[in-house]
Amino acid sequence: MRQFTPEERAFMQEHRHQEPAALMLQAKRYPHLPLQELVQQIQARQKAEQKLPTWAQHPDTVFPVTLSVEQSSSEAAAAYKASLVSGKLLVDLTGGFGVDSFYFATRFAEVIHVEQNPDLQEIARYNFGLLEAGNIQSMAITAEAFLQSFTGMADMLYLDPARRGGSNQKLHLLQDCEPDVLHLLPLLFTKASAVLLKSSPMLDIDLALEQLQHVARVWIVAVQNEVKEVLYLLEPGATPPAQAIRTAINLLPNGTTQEIVFTKAAEEDADVSFADPQRYIYEPNAAILKAGAYRYLAQRLQLQKLHPNSHLYTSATLVPDFPGRSFVCLAMSRYNKKELLRHLPGKQANITVRNFPDTVAGIRQKTGIREGGHTYLFFTTDMHQKPVVLICRKA
């Protein structure tokens, strides 16, 4: 890893808030500086300001190529993930930029950071020193080679397999990612008491449970209503897939959380009733929808569903602290342009589609309704199998 000179560091600090493209146009003013390299560092730091503030705020942090920063966990997700586990030794077999390793090091006496890319490993190792994470040992080696040579026993192995193909396409099936955890699973259980696996948010949870078989718990982690991570805790002899405990959690900006804990068996056994839209309409957060707590949520909060597949809920009185968004239903309409626009004098509304035969883009094109405003339209299907539009405002 190249060390930046004091002058180069001063340049990056002075221009840290400037537009990278505009800086590159000033290259002739700084012929003695490797401007492109410095601008890349500035750009990566700017991208990290919201996602990785601890790294972005340290003046001497070194960043890898932008893609590595984009692919790393956010600090919010990494801190939550670390709060789930603890012990003496954790091995991060897919260490990358080191964000997860850094937070695991607050919960384990020792962390081994394994990264096969030597340049990225060196950057992570250097940053660990800057951030005073003295209990992290960093190694430039593949996960497979480390496992073959590791003679100890860890409390936990952590894997976040790479989900980019040779043409930079996104992958999500476990067998397509690197390393292939399905192939490694027998070996993993000889090296640790438990395995924590992070998968693509796009991977079907039921499929993963069936393939992995040894899953005790699943966490579906959303940050500000966007699912960022799905985590699987693997233990030898874990319960059948239907009994694996699922936690759907949404991390909010104010530091609070919305959380639902259930099992697939509890979801299947839940009693649920259906109703026409009442005064209040509820839309679950993204973590709950990904986790599949559709019937269980209705039973737990004593809500009624609009349709088995719509995943919108209703009640006559307001349910406080609903884990998602709550609305007052002002009116209902058919999917008819003239009828809809009578409720929208400004021709503006926020549109959500749930179990409806048209897309948001198609609806906007056909009706001329612009994005924005304080009115929320839910295009859905009711309990009578009829398409309906709910005209709402936030509760």
Side-chain angles (χ1 to χ4, degrees):
M1 185 191 78
R2 189 176 81 78
Q3 298 288 334
F4 293 100
T5 67
E7 183 182 11
E8 290 168 346
R9 292 185 182 281
F11 176 89
M12 289 188 288
Q13 185 68 13
E14 180 183 353
H15 299 280
R16 64 188 184 279
H17 299 305
Q18 284 191 235
E19 173 62 38
L23 267 179
M24 284 303 301
L25 294 176
Q26 303 175 36
K28 291 183 179 180
R29 294 178 56 188
Y30 309 100
H32 59 296
L33 292 176
L35 196 65
Q36 183 173 355
E37 186 178 1
L38 301 184
V39 170
Q40 286 176 343
Q41 287 291 309
I42 291 170
Q43 185 176 33
R45 188 177 295 271
Q46 290 174 354
K47 288 180 176 292
E49 283 182 354
Q50 297 298 320
K51 186 178 183 180
L52 305 171
T54 299
W55 279 256
Q57 290 167 11
H58 197 293
D60 295 331
T61 300
V62 174
F63 289 91
V65 293
T66 304
L67 184 60
S68 296
V69 176
E70 292 174 348
Q71 291 179 339
S72 70
S73 296
S74 68
E75 285 196 54
Y80 173 76
K81 180 164 43 196
S83 74
L84 304 174
V85 293
S86 62
K88 292 182 179 179
L89 172 63
L90 177 141
V91 181
D92 184 347
L93 289 168
T94 49
F97 187 48
V99 178
D100 287 326
S101 290
F102 177 82
Y103 276 94
F104 283 133
T106 66
R107 301 282 295 176
F108 285 80
E110 181 185 1
V111 169
I112 300 177
H113 168 268
V114 175
E115 171 50 46
Q116 64 181 1
N117 182 321
D119 294 330
L120 183 56
Q121 180 269 336
E122 180 64 14
I123 289 172
R125 184 201 60 78
Y126 170 79
N127 288 334
F128 292 148
L130 289 180
L131 301 176
E132 300 180 351
N135 60 333
I136 303 177
Q137 177 187 357
S138 184
M139 303 175 65
I141 188 173
T142 67
E144 294 88 347
F146 175 87
L147 289 169
Q148 293 293 342
S149 62
F150 181 58
T151 57
M153 190 72 175
D155 294 287
M156 181 163 289
L157 300 176
Y158 172 69
L159 293 97
D160 176 12
R163 296 185 291 277
R164 294 277 181 172
S167 302
N168 204 32
Q169 75 273 25
K170 291 184 179 181
L171 307 172
H172 64 272
L173 295 176
L174 294 175
Q175 61 267 30
D176 292 339
C177 299
E178 184 186 348
D180 179 354
V181 68
L182 298 178
H183 175 73
L184 285 178
L185 199 54
L187 178 60
L188 296 176
F189 281 142
T190 69
K191 303 295 183 177
S193 306
V195 175
L196 187 63
L197 170 69
K198 173 182 169 182
S199 79
S200 164
M202 300 299 294
L203 179 64
D204 180 79
I205 293 174
D206 291 325
L207 173 62
L209 291 172
E210 194 63 36
Q211 289 182 311
L212 294 167
Q213 283 295 310
H214 301 279
V215 180
R217 299 201 61 161
V218 185
W219 290 272
I220 300 88
V221 185
V223 179
Q224 298 181 37
N225 204 36
E226 181 181 354
V227 176
K228 294 293 187 179
E229 305 191 354
V230 181
L231 306 167
Y232 301 83
L233 178 63
L234 283 65
E235 297 174 341
T239 55
Q243 298 298 330
I245 299 171
R246 303 188 188 196
T247 299
I249 186 158
N250 184 31
L251 309 179
L252 301 174
N254 61 5
T256 62
T257 60
Q258 298 171 334
E259 183 175 294
I260 292 288
V261 181
F262 70 108
T263 65
K264 181 72 170 179
E267 165 67 14
E268 292 172 347
D269 293 341
D271 290 326
V272 62
S273 58
F274 301 89
D276 289 320
Q278 301 176 60
R279 177 166 175 76
Y280 294 99
I281 301 295
Y282 306 91
E283 180 188 33
N285 66 48
I288 291 173
L289 293 173
K290 174 63 182 178
Y294 311 128
R295 299 170 60 88
Y296 181 81
L297 180 67
Q299 176 181 275
R300 175 176 165 175
L301 299 180
Q302 297 184 326
L303 298 171
Q304 294 174 298
K305 294 194 72 178
L306 299 186
H307 183 278
N309 300 323
S310 293
H311 309 320
L312 292 172
Y313 303 78
T314 190
S315 68
T317 57
L318 181 64
V319 172
D321 301 320
F322 177 80
R325 300 195 298 173
S326 305
F327 300 88
V328 176
C329 186
L330 304 174
M332 288 188 291
S333 171
R334 295 175 300 152
Y335 184 20
N336 176 279
K337 179 178 179 179
K338 288 184 178 179
E339 187 173 340
L340 277 172
L341 292 180
R342 280 201 294 268
H343 297 280
L344 302 170
K347 295 184 179 181
Q348 188 177 35
N350 305 280
I351 295 176
T352 297
V353 168
R354 288 272 183 258
N355 189 26
F356 195 78
D358 205 348
T359 64
V360 173
I363 291 167
R364 292 200 182 281
Q365 183 177 13
K366 292 171 186 175
T367 62
I369 298 172
R370 295 176 289 108
E371 175 69 26
H374 301 290
T375 301
Y376 293 78
L377 303 181
F378 286 91
F379 289 73
T380 189
T381 300
D382 67 13
M383 62 182 293
H384 310 291
Q385 307 296 329
K386 294 181 179 180
V388 63
V389 184
L390 310 181
I391 299 153
C392 304
R393 63 171 171 79
K394 283 191 173 180

